[in-house]
Amino acid sequence: MSAVSCVTGFSTSKTEHSSRSERKRRDSFGMFDGYDSCSEDTSSSSSSEESEEEVAPLPSNLPIIKNNGQVYTYPDGKSGMATCEMCGMVGVRDAFYSKTKRFCSVSCSRSYSSNSKKASILARLQGKPPTKKAKVLQKQPLVAKLAAYAQYQATLQNQAKTKAAVSMEGFSWGNYINSNSFIAAPVTCFKHAPMGTCWGDISENVRVEVPNTDCSLPTKVFWIAGIVKLAGYNALLRYEGFENDSALDFWCNICGSDIHPVGWCAASGKPLVPPRTIQHKYTNWKAFLVKRLTGAKTLPPDFSQKVSESMQYPFKPCMRVEVVDKRHLCRTRVAVVESVIGGRLRLVYEESEDRTDDFWCHMHSPLIHHIGWSRSIGHRFKRSDITKKQDGHFDTPPHLFAKVKEVDQSGEWFKEGMKLEAIDPLNLSTICVATIRKVLADGFLMIGIDGSEAADGSDWFCYHATSPSIFPVGFCEINMIELTPPRGYTKLPFKWFDYLRETGSIAAPVKLFNKDVPNHGFRVGMKLEAVDLMEPRLICVATVTRIIHRLLRIHFDGWEEEYDQWVDCESPDLYPVGWCQLTGYQLQPPASQSSRENQSASSKQKKKAKSQQYKGHKKMTTLQLKEELLDGEDYNFLQGASDQESNGSANFYIKQEP
């Protein structure tokens, strides 16, 4: 940030030319000499791939009971059994989710109702009012559900491509922030975003030169404005001279091409002209600016250059990568970079002939890797039918990918069968009971969600040992997060110690988990733009609703809580307010009023049902946890940290030194 000294900014030399009164010379501020004598007009200027596995249908001899349109299957002919309308799983009716017991878990309920969300978004894409009707996926096992869901996503994207751009329905971040007194997360919270590491001291009262829209001169002129409020990249600006009058305040993106440091007009030969509304307030505008700007702060002189440099991305179209197979999470496939927007990649799977089978992610996403990564660590990989690279395609250099922390696997390490808690990648609003199914090289682990795994492991997913998405046993209970028990598990409320004894398994050692918590700067209630990871091409208006150490609960404005996502504070899928505008990406506005009205009836029922669900058994004492979980090791569990207090350098668990 540089200081502006107006006293030294003016040119003091005078000329005695007789024609001086007839021509208007600009001084070092860019102002017209003799502007007060200028007269102005009174007018204002202003591929779908088939699943490899055959889906086994439910036995046809099971008695089926229909009740008010809902189907329940009772294998033993006794009441108390039910069939999930989403995945077809049979289980104890009392253990099923929601008041109507239509679903076996929150995940299935969310997957079922998420189609309503997709239908509403599609309606907006088509310019139609949202409808409550939604296309419902068939009742099939999880592997088939993944394939059907992926096909539905591809269909939705293909339809969207033929439509006009999504209507923002008049949405404006500035109006949204102002009318609700919201606070946006600062740019410095997003290290992967443009200017995230070099934002500097940009804050309120910083002065900039911007176009003057309150002027009727035929040419584009500028005036100086001060930042009244910051919201991500966006700033609420007020022209100098308006004092406490907010009548002409306006929002703009600080990184935009029309925002310049004070002094730019003089250096560029552009005129500085005061707004017409306040033209009468002062007879000597130069003296006014000298007084107002002496010692004030402005943008660094190389600010626009830094913005431009921070928006240069090393990934280019035609680069080949390995990326998670969205139909089978347990494996990767080769994909080609189709386009790059703001560091986000549209990847097209290499075998997609019509180039519609795609996947969106950020270039720093843990889901993409260099060619050969899967083979090097022992990860499953789907071989391509393409025998040689297509013309122009080339492998992405390995150094461009996000680096993972090196770990020492020679000592005590994760083992197959160990239990832990993990964010479910198919339902990011839940943290579930999970098991380590395979230990790979370089610290990578294959994780399965207990109770919903396919027999062939096709729904296992890969997390690194340092991933912020896996947690030790007891993490949810200590931090008052609802832990999702295994699907079909009937012994509720769920207790880890009973479950470990029943399954004959052990908990992964606490000391092996990532306990680093950066001073990320997020606060509850902050606004941001976030990727809907269930539909990763969409970026939506969102809010931070909970903070647990480095874990953030992201809520999509206008949608129900069941669509929330647990996301790491350093996730590349979070962006500052104004990121979409800066990069040219399409922002999805909050759900419209009509959409919320359509949700209201079901929302009340779901919330009521949710309130009746198990929220976790009473927190055990530190002593009990030490004795039963850690087998005598002396650990101190941090408890009672509020959402605000949990931000900082503290660890989840701190080992007590003797």
Side-chain angles (χ1 to χ4, degrees):
M1 191 67 65
S2 58
V4 178
S5 177
C6 294
V7 174
T8 61
F10 286 108
S11 172
T12 57
S13 63
K14 298 182 179 179
T15 61
E16 302 297 334
H17 298 293
S18 59
S19 60
R20 187 175 186 277
S21 59
E22 297 178 1
R23 63 185 178 87
K24 297 176 174 58
R25 179 174 56 83
R26 298 177 193 136
D27 61 17
S28 59
F29 249 111
M31 290 190 64
F32 279 121
D33 267 344
Y35 171 78
D36 295 336
S37 64
C38 285
S39 61
E40 286 189 316
D41 296 333
T42 56
S43 61
S44 172
S45 67
S46 31
S47 153
S48 170
E49 175 189 89
E50 295 298 329
S51 174
E52 294 178 344
E53 293 80 13
E54 290 294 328
V55 177
L58 292 174
S60 58
N61 59 347
L62 298 181
I64 297 178
I65 299 177
K66 293 185 178 180
N67 183 17
N68 295 328
Q70 299 171 28
V71 181
Y72 303 104
T73 304
Y74 302 149
D76 56 1
K78 298 178 182 179
S79 61
M81 301 297 290
T83 297
C84 178
E85 293 188 17
M86 187 66 211
C87 68
M89 177 183 171
V90 178
V92 178
R93 177 179 168 83
D94 290 341
F96 269 41
Y97 176 70
S98 83
K99 182 178 180 180
T100 58
K101 307 301 181 185
R102 298 169 58 193
F103 308 104
C104 62
S105 68
V106 180
S107 175
C108 280
S109 176
R110 183 183 191 276
S111 298
Y112 185 94
S113 58
S114 67
N115 292 285
S116 298
K117 177 181 179 182
K118 304 298 183 294
S120 297
I121 293 173
L122 181 59
R124 288 205 301 273
L125 286 169
Q126 298 172 337
K128 301 176 182 178
T131 172
K132 285 192 287 186
K133 296 182 180 180
K135 182 178 179 181
V136 180
L137 301 177
Q138 290 183 327
K139 295 183 288 183
Q140 295 176 327
L142 182 60
V143 173
K145 180 172 71 172
L146 287 172
Y149 181 65
Q151 176 62 35
Y152 178 76
Q153 287 181 319
T155 302
L156 185 63
Q157 293 179 21
N158 293 340
Q159 291 173 339
K161 290 174 185 175
T162 63
K163 304 298 179 182
V166 178
S167 170
M168 289 297 289
E169 300 179 355
F171 176 77
S172 163
W173 260 123
N175 294 337
Y176 193 56
I177 294 286
N178 268 358
S179 59
N180 299 281
S181 299
F182 290 140
I183 298 176
V187 173
T188 52
C189 291
F190 309 88
K191 305 304 181 187
H192 59 281
M195 302 298 293
T197 58
C198 52
W199 191 244
D201 298 327
I202 299 175
S203 60
E204 295 177 6
N205 297 319
V206 166
R207 307 305 207 284
V208 293
E209 292 180 353
V210 295
N212 177 7
T213 58
D214 185 24
C215 179
S216 58
L217 290 176
T219 58
K220 186 176 184 179
V221 296
F222 292 78
W223 190 241
I224 295 172
I227 297 178
V228 178
K229 184 175 183 177
L230 268 178
Y233 294 117
N234 293 348
L236 180 63
L237 298 179
R238 180 173 301 168
Y239 289 123
E240 283 295 339
F242 275 83
E243 309 301 338
N244 296 322
D245 183 2
S246 61
L248 290 186
D249 287 3
F250 60 99
W251 285 90
C252 70
N253 196 303
I254 286 293
C255 296
S257 59
D258 271 340
I259 310 300
H260 308 282
V262 172
W264 176 85
C265 283
S268 305
K270 303 293 183 181
L272 272 180
V273 177
R276 186 180 54 180
T277 302
I278 57 171
Q279 177 186 340
H280 64 280
K281 290 184 66 174
Y282 301 96
T283 57
N284 189 338
W285 281 100
K286 295 179 191 176
F288 168 78
L289 290 181
V290 169
K291 181 179 179 180
R292 290 287 296 172
L293 300 183
T294 299
K297 289 183 177 180
T298 188
L299 301 177
D302 61 346
F303 184 76
S304 61
Q305 179 183 348
K306 287 184 176 180
V307 172
S308 178
E309 291 174 353
S310 68
M311 295 181 67
Q312 301 299 315
Y313 307 105
F315 281 80
K316 307 297 179 184
C318 296
M319 284 184 171
R320 299 171 76 241
V321 301
E322 287 185 11
V323 63
V324 66
D325 186 341
K326 64 183 180 182
R327 293 179 178 82
H328 301 278
L329 300 184
C330 68
R331 69 186 185 189
T332 58
R333 296 173 62 185
V334 173
V336 179
V337 177
E338 177 76 11
S339 59
V340 183
I341 304 178
R344 301 202 78 225
L345 312 178
R346 178 177 182 258
L347 302 172
V348 176
Y349 290 113
E350 196 171 47
E351 294 174 297
S352 176
E353 295 181 358
D354 59 0
R355 308 192 69 78
T356 59
D357 189 8
D358 62 0
F359 184 80
W360 281 91
C361 67
H362 192 271
M363 62 183 184
H364 294 154
S365 170
L367 301 177
I368 60 172
H369 310 275
H370 62 85
I371 299 296
W373 173 84
S374 296
R375 179 183 300 174
S376 68
I377 70 161
H379 193 283
R380 290 177 64 177
F381 176 76
K382 182 182 185 298
R383 296 186 180 278
S384 173
D385 293 336
I386 299 176
T387 56
K388 64 178 182 178
K389 300 177 187 176
Q390 298 184 21
D391 292 341
H393 292 179
F394 58 100
D395 295 352
T396 307
H399 71 270
L400 297 186
F401 295 88
K403 299 294 187 295
V404 294
K405 184 179 179 181
E406 293 186 4
V407 294
D408 181 11
Q409 297 183 228
S410 60
E412 185 177 14
W413 192 243
F414 293 99
K415 293 183 174 61
E416 291 184 16
M418 284 183 172
K419 300 293 183 181
L420 69 165
E421 299 174 4
I423 297 175
D424 184 352
L426 293 177
N427 182 9
L428 296 162
S429 67
T430 63
I431 299 178
C432 306
V433 174
T435 303
I436 297 173
R437 293 305 182 188
K438 190 176 181 181
V439 178
L440 308 178
D442 296 342
F444 289 95
L445 309 169
M446 296 303 294
I447 307 292
I449 299 296
D450 284 22
S452 62
E453 298 174 67
D456 60 354
S458 58
D459 55 354
W460 295 351
F461 48 94
C462 185
Y463 278 145
H464 193 262
T466 61
S467 169
S469 298
I470 58 174
F471 316 96
V473 164
F475 173 83
C476 284
E477 181 181 15
I478 291 166
N479 292 286
M480 293 175 287
I481 301 174
E482 181 178 0
L483 175 67
T484 301
R487 186 176 298 180
Y489 188 75
T490 59
K491 192 174 180 181
L492 300 177
F494 178 84
K495 294 184 178 180
W496 259 117
F497 309 108
D498 292 343
Y499 186 67
L500 292 174
R501 284 193 292 267
E502 291 169 7
T503 57
S505 52
I506 61 173
V510 173
K511 61 184 178 183
L512 297 181
F513 292 84
N514 180 9
K515 296 178 283 293
D516 296 332
V517 182
N519 187 18
H520 48 68
F522 286 102
R523 295 290 182 270
V524 170
M526 283 183 170
K527 297 293 178 180
L528 69 165
E529 298 175 3
V531 176
D532 179 354
L533 293 170
M534 298 306 292
E535 183 67 53
R537 68 186 180 87
L538 300 180
I539 296 182
C540 311
V541 172
T543 307
V544 177
T545 57
R546 284 198 73 185
I547 302 175
I548 306 296
H549 305 292
R550 63 180 300 144
L551 195 62
L552 310 180
R553 179 84 171 181
I554 302 299
H555 173 74
F556 295 109
D557 289 18
W559 297 103
E560 296 179 0
E561 291 182 1
E562 64 182 272
Y563 302 111
D564 289 2
Q565 296 177 169
W566 286 110
V567 180
D568 182 60
C569 65
E570 295 182 339
S571 168
D573 295 309
L574 304 178
Y575 305 99
V577 166
W579 181 88
C580 283
Q581 178 190 6
L582 176 64
T583 60
Y585 205 94
Q586 180 63 59
L587 175 67
Q588 302 297 320
S592 63
Q593 182 62 38
S594 58
S595 176
R596 287 195 295 270
E597 289 173 355
N598 287 338
Q599 296 182 53
S600 60
S602 60
S603 174
K604 291 179 180 178
Q605 181 176 354
K606 288 179 181 178
K607 287 181 179 178
K608 182 178 180 182
K610 191 172 182 180
S611 66
Q612 297 171 348
Q613 298 302 305
Y614 166 60
K615 299 295 184 182
H617 56 287
K618 293 183 179 179
K619 192 183 303 179
M620 300 188 70
T621 65
T622 303
L623 179 60
Q624 288 175 300
L625 288 169
K626 285 180 182 176
E627 291 176 348
E628 297 189 52
L629 176 60
L630 301 176
D631 194 25
E633 283 193 287
D634 192 12
Y635 280 83
N636 176 35
F637 285 66
L638 296 180
Q639 303 188 44
S642 68
D643 288 346
Q644 298 287 358
E645 295 170 342
S646 59
N647 174 25
S649 59
N651 294 334
F652 296 125
Y653 311 95
I654 300 178
K655 186 169 184 178
Q656 300 295 312
E657 299 296 339

